[in-house]
Amino acid sequence: MKIVVNGVEEQWGVGVTVRGVVEGKGMNVEKVAVEVNRRLVRSAGGGYERELKEGDVVEIVTFVGGG
Amino acid sequence: MWGEGERAGVAPYNPCMSELFRIGAFSVSSRLFVGTGKYSSYEVMQAALAASGCQVVTVAVRRERLVDAAGRSLLDYLDLSKYVILPNTAGCFTAEDAIRVALLGRELLEKQKNAGAGWVKLEVLGDKKTLLPDPVGTIEATRELVKEGFTVLAYSSDDPRAAVRIKEAGAASVMPAGSPIGSGQGVLNPLNVSLCMELLKEGDPKYPVIVDAGVGTASDVTVAMELGADGVLLNTGIAHAKDPVKMAAAMKWGLEAGRLAYEAGRMGKKRYATASSPFEGVVSYIPGE
């Protein structure tokens, strides 16, 4: 199914979780924060185990230098 | 030469700036907040932060680059046991986006167990050219973020009335710009900045006001502090100096000089000269007498 990750449309298997996408990209869930469809995914509420669906828009962010 | 005993019993004066200052629930040991952007390398950034003596460092929230050539992350270069991270909402032009970014930053800092998870440097910008803050968006976002439990430090213009409105919206600190972000022009309107201080602190003298943006060199920091600012936030003034580490140290001393001068209370300005040496007893000719 199609999911947009950081602005790029990608193909992921049906039932993939938020964690599955983050870790599938080689990223550490502890070093990123994630939004799905402009809503924050909270690790506290088990949000990373949520299954994504066709057309979801995922943003994976981290800190960069800034003032 | 004078011997030890002949030096009139005056202990060396070792002034100490006033204690920690508070922003909401945060106590801060250094009044200099330093950004982490635009350094030539992470190593230079680390050395500059250390030389500045800062405790609070600002960072920005951005998409994780899916392919990072160097494979390095800012988080690996900041000692999170030493620094309190102040995440910003730079690059946001609407209140809604600023709120999203603030929530993302908080989530990231909660994972790092850093105290900075409780606060945010709010920027809601008007346009990309001037990077001046949008006052209406800033007020809207401040209200929402306060509801979300954030300690909001709001970047503002030097408009004293806008600053008061942002405080009324719930900001724990208003941060007027000395001049546009990254412009290095210093404090362009000291009158307005001092009016911001005056109005924001009226009946609330401990309300923290931080001059944010525009600092080009150490004397700019001194000017801001002499006006009565509680602190200064800067980035490019250090990062784009020819020797960022040396400039970071200069900024630290400039801040201390300005704060001490503010606390000491400057003399009044006079139109004409007043001699420091008495005229009484002079042996010379004095014109007009």
Side-chain angles (χ1 to χ4, degrees), chain A residues 6-7 25 27 29-35 38 40-43 48 59-67, chain B residues 35-37 58-64 66 74 76 88 96-97 100 104-105 107-109 111-112 121 235:
Chain A
N6 285 2
K25 291 272 176 197
M27 298 171 193
V29 288
E30 294 304 315
K31 297 275 180 78
V32 297
V34 182
E35 265 188 351
R38 301 169 75 87
L40 178 70
V41 176
R42 292 182 197 273
S43 59
Y48 284 80
E59 295 285 355
I60 307 173
V61 301
T62 190
F63 288 132
V64 300
Chain B
T36 54
T58 59
V59 299
V61 174
R62 291 292 180 273
R63 281 177 173 164
E64 174 65 282
L66 301 178
L74 176 65
D76 298 331
N88 69 29
E96 189 197 348
D97 282 344
R100 285 173 62 203
L104 285 163
E107 175 79 8
L108 256 167
L109 284 172
K111 288 178 179 177
Q112 315 309 314
K121 177 191 160 181
N235 188 152

Side-chain angles (χ1 to χ4, degrees), chain B residues 178-188 211-224 232-244 247-248 250-251:
Chain B
S179 52
I181 292 173
S183 72
Q185 297 188 64
V187 178
L188 285 181
V211 169
D212 174 9
V215 166
T217 188
S219 57
D220 297 337
V221 179
T222 308
V223 166
V232 171
L233 194 162
L234 62 93
N235 188 152
T236 314
I238 291 178
H240 281 186
K242 286 185 181 138
D243 182 339
M247 185 59 89
M251 295 296 191

Side-chain angles (χ1 to χ4, degrees), chain B residues 68-173:
Chain B
D68 185 333
R72 309 200 309 176
S73 158
L74 176 65
L75 280 173
D76 298 331
Y77 289 84
L78 289 174
D79 181 351
L80 296 179
S81 65
K82 181 175 167 193
Y83 295 115
V84 179
I85 309 298
L86 175 58
N88 69 29
T89 65
C92 292
F93 293 85
T94 65
E96 189 197 348
D97 282 344
I99 293 161
R100 285 173 62 203
V101 168
L103 290 170
L104 285 163
R106 177 161 73 180
E107 175 79 8
L108 256 167
L109 284 172
E110 280 173 352
K111 288 178 179 177
Q112 315 309 314
K113 300 185 171 42
N114 188 273
W119 66 4
V120 64
K121 177 191 160 181
L122 175 65
E123 288 183 30
V124 182
L125 304 173
D127 66 90
K128 220 174 146 184
K129 183 175 178 179
T130 68
L131 299 179
L132 288 170
D134 173 58
V136 175
T138 301
I139 289 167
E140 282 172 14
T142 299
R143 283 200 193 104
E144 286 306 310
L145 289 169
V146 169
K147 277 188 215 159
E148 289 279 350
F150 282 91
T151 295
V152 176
L153 290 74
Y155 168 61
S156 166
S157 70
D158 63 7
D159 175 346
R161 293 311 318 173
V164 167
R165 289 294 189 136
I166 294 165
K167 180 186 178 188
E168 287 170 355
S173 175

